[in-house]
Amino acid sequence: MSDDVVAKFAEDILRDVGEALSTDEPFSQEIFTRQVLERLEEAGHLEGTFPLFQQGRVRNSIYRIDGYSYDEERSRLELFTTIYREDLPPTKIPQAEVTRAFERAIRFVNASMEGLAAQLEPSNSDASDLARLIEAQARTLGSVRITLLTNGIVDKTTGSTDWLDHKVEFNTYDIVRLQRILGEGETRADIAVDLEALTGSPVPCLHVPSQAGEYDAYLSVLPGEALSRIYERYGVRLLELNVRAFLGLQGRKSVNAELRRTIADQPSMFLAYNNGIVATVDDLEIVNDKAGRPSIKSLKGLQIVNGGQTTASLHRARRKDSLNLGNVAVPIKIIKVGGADLSEMVASISRAANRQNTVQLADFSAGDPFHQEVETLANNTWLDDQKGRWFYERARGSYTAAEQKAAYRKSDQQTFRTQTPKQRRLNKLDLARYLTAWDGLPYRVCLGGQKNFQHYMQRMKDSNPPPPDTAWFKRLVAKAIFYRAAEKKIRSMKFPAYGAQITAYVVSGIAQKTGGRIDFDRLWSQQRVSTELEKLVEVWAPQIDTLLRQSAGQKNPSEWFKKEECWLDLVSRLPAFSDPLPPELSYAADSDGDEAAPVPLRAHSVADYERIEQCMTVTAATWLEVAELGQKAGVVHWKVAGICRTLASYAAGGWDKKPSARQAKPALEALQACQRAGVVAIIPKPEAAAVS
């Protein structure tokens, strides 16, 4: 890799940090940390990260961290420490400074074990919650890693130390590695598995070369413990080329339950019962044992293209269920691609190997027709001034590639940046975050970018919606504008903890109270939120923060916010709207898809939204009774009965679709009429609205 390429990437990083510095974040180092964590998470190298700068003293020594990630599923803690410089070209970081950064992070862990949480102010901050988590979970942690993030150059990138009963790994993302991952979009090259170190000896195999020379196949058997540890080390990056939407979801409980039963009751039969896994490698090292038989010593660029469910289930059985994998053996077919195209080969292997699970072409994320459609819409949908548009980054790094392509001519580069500035860039994780929050699933957003994306793709697969069109894309952008405005306002309010989670719950709460219908056309046209809507977010945010903490009680907040029960608890106690409403809420809609609703067109009011909320407290069965019995008794007009049947279908679908103001008013009047006539039982005023 040329020094010029790295220097250009470092310059881009500095520019991005400088642009963010001019808004609401005062410290370059914190901005760099947040941006790098977001992009590494998008690249699949990290999951569920939280920027968190915390520095202090323990006795005469300084502790410091800049972020963290806690994976409850893998029982894994990762702390981030940052060294940020404004040198161009990037310079080498002295090894002594690197060592100090790791030592300061270790001191935070040690201080947490000594009761640091009680000393931190305020006691409900991100740092105090993290310190309590470390203190409570230290003995049961599966692994601990400290990762250095820097825009400098580091020579030595790995190492470890002992802490309690754990081996603490050291890891580094310096500017060279960041350029390779984020600049070039490379994600497999540094997945290197030393099977000899992992299992004690090379793993015997059978080599089966293809007749046409397109690939080499190796048939082998991996110890279940080894496969679990490989997944623990690399996580979803092992599945970069796999059908990632299926990993970790709850839709295949029967398969997971059967796997667990075999591991628990008949571990020696796992090889006989399980189909095993199919993997590809960029390269592998073969050695001969004493008898001259081939064995696999190491693998490079390992990707599991079939068997992600098996891999994750084995790891969960070991880490979460404490099952012994000592007698579990997993059959594996390893394909080293030679003359064939890797991506095409992997797609073919995945389609064929997954056919028993009815996996469709649409299950591959970047190549999914849905994401291709969104990319096409972004390219062809211009803003109202016809001078700009949004950029959908379907494939990781495509924005950078497009920017570099435009850079061949200065006029083209200026046009590209004017038409599609970075603040109008959307990626797949953004899309899933904004739409999931608006659909009333903030707890899914709190899972982190990758896991939320997996859930979103599974929902897409299950619901099979119509292809996106221009109107859909404009609503997506409107939701993005609102979410980003809420995020910016809440960040500027300097909450001591959980700003990202507060944002997700504020957006979901406002979507819930409005029935998911605000003035998307205005947001698209203006490309910004009104000051009144920004003020509403400012009023709601501290109230949501209080409700979230009340709901968490003595539970670990960051984990509680990821659970549906948290949202179900909050949804009944959301803040109320008050007049005057922001223009995005008080708009007069031409149509909400319910033209038959006999209500004159007028601006929305607080009462309208209260009626929408009240409608969602009524069951599907009751709405059907209002329609059938009310019409039969002559107290409900046939048109209104049709609206009540529509609401019954909404309720039966878990309120994925919500009533409009023009539906809610006549429907509630019909309900009251039926109650007065005695044809429908009087419903006690409920405390909660139902949730999608």
Side-chain angles (χ1 to χ4, degrees):
M1 183 187 306
S2 75
D3 293 341
D4 290 344
V5 172
V6 173
K8 176 64 170 64
F9 180 75
E11 184 180 347
D12 292 342
I13 289 279
L14 283 176
R15 187 179 69 243
D16 290 347
V17 170
E19 289 173 356
L21 191 64
S22 63
T23 57
D24 59 311
E25 293 182 273
F27 301 112
S28 300
Q29 183 165 290
E30 293 183 38
I31 296 169
F32 171 77
T33 301
R34 175 176 59 81
Q35 291 183 346
V36 168
L37 289 179
E38 286 176 353
R39 294 178 67 183
L40 285 174
E41 187 165 342
E42 179 194 344
H45 277 242
L46 303 173
E47 283 188 88
T49 62
F50 296 97
L52 168 61
F53 174 76
Q54 182 64 35
Q55 180 172 296
R57 279 189 174 274
V58 177
R59 291 179 284 278
N60 294 323
S61 300
I62 294 174
Y63 66 77
R64 183 182 131 187
I65 59 170
D66 291 86
Y68 76 97
S69 169
Y70 176 62
D71 187 335
E72 186 179 31
E73 184 76 14
R74 291 194 283 167
S75 189
R76 177 174 186 161
L77 174 69
E78 186 162 11
L79 298 179
F80 301 101
T81 182
T82 298
I83 298 175
Y84 178 76
R85 293 182 168 182
E86 297 188 353
D87 301 338
L88 281 178
T91 56
K92 285 190 176 182
I93 308 294
Q95 190 59 43
E97 189 174 348
V98 172
T99 301
R100 277 198 302 273
F102 285 133
E103 288 174 346
R104 287 174 177 175
I106 282 284
R107 287 192 197 112
F108 178 85
V109 178
N110 288 328
S112 298
M113 293 296 294
E114 296 171 4
L116 176 63
Q119 304 169 29
L120 293 173
E121 292 293 340
S123 61
N124 62 345
S125 68
D126 273 329
S128 60
D129 285 340
L130 175 59
R132 272 190 289 272
L133 173 69
I134 293 171
E135 187 176 2
Q137 302 293 333
R139 300 290 177 183
T140 59
L141 285 172
S143 63
V144 180
R145 179 191 289 182
I146 296 176
T147 295
L148 171 66
L149 309 173
T150 179
N151 63 337
I153 299 171
V154 176
D155 285 334
K156 185 180 178 182
T157 60
T158 58
S160 65
T161 190
D162 293 322
W163 174 74
L164 295 181
D165 297 326
H166 302 291
K167 180 72 71 176
V168 179
E169 296 179 7
F170 295 146
N171 185 32
T172 300
Y173 289 96
D174 71 345
I175 195 66
V176 176
R177 189 178 179 196
L178 289 173
Q179 195 283 328
R180 188 173 71 244
I181 295 166
L182 305 178
E184 298 178 1
E186 190 173 326
T187 59
R188 303 190 320 274
D190 60 342
I191 296 181
V193 179
D194 188 335
L195 289 177
E196 184 175 31
L198 201 59
T199 65
S201 64
V203 177
C205 68
L206 174 65
H207 179 207
V208 186
S210 72
Q211 293 181 353
E214 294 177 311
Y215 65 88
D216 283 283
Y218 299 84
L219 306 179
S220 186
V221 176
L222 281 182
E225 179 83 12
L227 185 57
S228 170
R229 291 190 181 279
I230 293 170
Y231 177 69
E232 185 172 280
R233 171 70 175 83
Y234 292 106
V236 296
R237 287 172 58 206
L238 288 171
L239 312 167
E240 181 65 24
L241 298 175
N242 193 11
V243 185
R244 296 178 63 175
F246 288 99
L247 180 65
L249 301 186
Q250 302 302 313
R252 297 183 56 77
K253 289 182 180 177
S254 60
V255 174
N256 290 331
E258 192 61 41
L259 284 170
R260 189 188 183 285
R261 264 195 300 275
T262 303
I263 295 167
D265 302 334
Q266 297 175 287
S268 62
M269 298 301 294
F270 194 90
L271 179 68
Y273 293 166
N274 190 265
N275 290 333
I277 63 178
V278 181
T280 62
V281 293
D282 293 340
D283 200 4
L284 74 171
E285 184 180 355
I286 301 294
V287 296
N288 291 326
D289 63 14
K290 293 179 180 179
R293 293 172 300 192
S295 298
I296 304 172
K297 185 175 187 293
S298 64
L299 304 167
K300 184 178 180 182
L302 175 66
Q303 293 284 278
I304 296 172
V305 296
N306 178 249
Q309 195 77 27
T310 297
T311 305
S313 296
L314 282 169
H315 184 269
R316 181 181 179 86
R318 182 173 73 89
R319 292 293 342 154
K320 297 290 288 182
D321 302 331
S322 300
L323 295 177
N324 190 331
L325 304 184
N327 293 322
V328 173
V330 185
I332 180 171
K333 178 170 64 177
I334 301 171
I335 306 296
K336 179 188 175 185
V337 178
D341 177 77
L342 177 63
S343 59
E344 182 180 331
M345 185 79 159
V346 167
S348 299
I349 293 169
S350 292
R351 282 194 296 270
N354 283 289
R355 200 169 298 280
Q356 70 267 27
N357 293 332
T358 62
V359 176
Q360 305 298 322
L361 283 173
D363 295 321
F364 296 86
S365 58
D368 189 323
F370 167 75
H371 295 290
Q372 293 174 344
E373 286 284 345
V374 177
E375 182 182 51
T376 300
L377 287 166
N379 291 337
N380 297 323
T381 306
W382 293 82
L383 304 184
D384 290 353
D385 62 8
Q386 297 298 308
K387 295 179 181 178
R389 55 186 173 172
W390 282 67
F391 188 98
Y392 185 62
E393 198 168 30
R394 175 175 64 87
R396 192 161 52 247
S398 60
Y399 182 90
T400 301
E403 189 177 35
Q404 289 173 349
K405 183 179 179 182
Y408 291 128
R409 292 176 56 186
K410 195 162 187 177
S411 59
D412 290 346
Q413 184 181 43
Q414 186 58 42
T415 300
F416 178 83
R417 289 178 177 173
T418 301
Q419 291 179 351
T420 53
K422 285 188 176 179
Q423 63 266 29
R424 288 206 295 264
R425 176 178 60 180
L426 274 172
N427 61 44
K428 297 193 298 292
L429 301 191
D430 291 332
L431 178 147
R433 182 184 305 117
Y434 305 149
L435 296 184
T436 299
W438 194 257
D439 288 345
L441 304 167
Y443 52 93
R444 293 270 175 82
V445 177
C446 293
L447 290 171
Q450 287 291 349
K451 288 185 179 178
N452 177 56
F453 177 74
Q454 293 162 19
H455 280 286
Y456 176 77
M457 291 304 295
Q458 185 66 46
R459 281 202 298 141
M460 287 275 295
K461 175 182 170 63
D462 293 342
S463 61
N464 193 28
D469 56 16
T470 301
W472 179 94
F473 181 76
K474 289 183 176 180
R475 287 195 299 273
L476 165 65
V477 169
K479 292 168 186 176
I481 291 167
F482 175 44
Y483 195 102
R484 290 179 177 183
E487 193 172 43
K488 182 177 178 181
K489 169 53 69 175
I490 290 168
R491 190 179 293 137
S492 73
M493 295 172 73
K494 306 296 182 187
F495 283 94
Y498 308 117
Q501 292 92 330
I502 293 168
T503 300
Y505 275 86
V506 164
V507 171
S508 288
I510 290 176
Q512 176 77 13
K513 296 279 283 190
T514 60
R517 291 179 172 94
I518 64 174
D519 194 347
F520 297 123
D521 291 339
R522 176 190 170 95
L523 286 169
W524 167 264
S525 177
Q526 300 283 330
Q527 289 291 300
R528 60 178 176 81
V529 303
S530 66
T531 54
E532 294 88 348
L533 184 55
E534 191 177 276
K535 180 65 178 175
L536 178 64
V537 170
E538 187 177 9
V539 170
W540 268 51
Q543 297 182 65
I544 292 293
D545 179 39
T546 300
L547 290 172
L548 283 170
R549 292 194 173 279
Q550 288 174 351
S551 178
Q554 298 303 309
K555 306 178 191 75
N556 177 263
S558 63
E559 294 305 311
W560 175 244
F561 301 157
K562 299 173 184 176
K563 300 187 183 300
E564 184 179 11
E565 292 82 359
C566 177
W567 171 241
L568 291 172
D569 182 48
L570 254 71
V571 79
S572 62
R573 300 181 287 140
L574 292 171
F577 288 150
S578 60
D579 289 318
L581 288 169
E584 291 90 346
L585 273 62
S586 61
Y587 72 109
D590 293 333
S591 168
D592 284 322
D594 53 312
E595 291 84 353
V599 177
L601 186 65
R602 58 177 176 75
H604 287 70
S605 66
V606 171
D608 287 325
Y609 293 119
E610 289 173 348
R611 283 191 284 266
I612 288 170
E613 196 171 16
Q614 190 177 347
C615 278
M616 290 191 289
T617 66
V618 180
T619 66
T622 300
W623 282 125
L624 281 177
E625 286 182 355
V626 172
E628 304 297 334
L629 301 180
Q631 188 176 350
K632 187 176 181 180
V635 295
V636 176
H637 189 274
W638 65 270
K639 283 189 177 181
V640 178
I643 294 173
C644 294
R645 291 188 186 95
T646 299
L647 295 194
S649 70
Y650 291 176
W655 296 110
D656 282 343
K657 190 168 184 181
K658 298 175 176 65
S660 70
R662 299 179 70 205
Q663 291 170 320
K665 189 173 189 297
L668 287 176
E669 288 172 349
L671 174 63
Q672 292 161 3
C674 287
Q675 289 171 338
R676 286 194 298 269
V679 297
V680 171
I682 295 176
I683 305 168
K685 188 172 182 180
E687 297 180 358
V691 185
S692 60

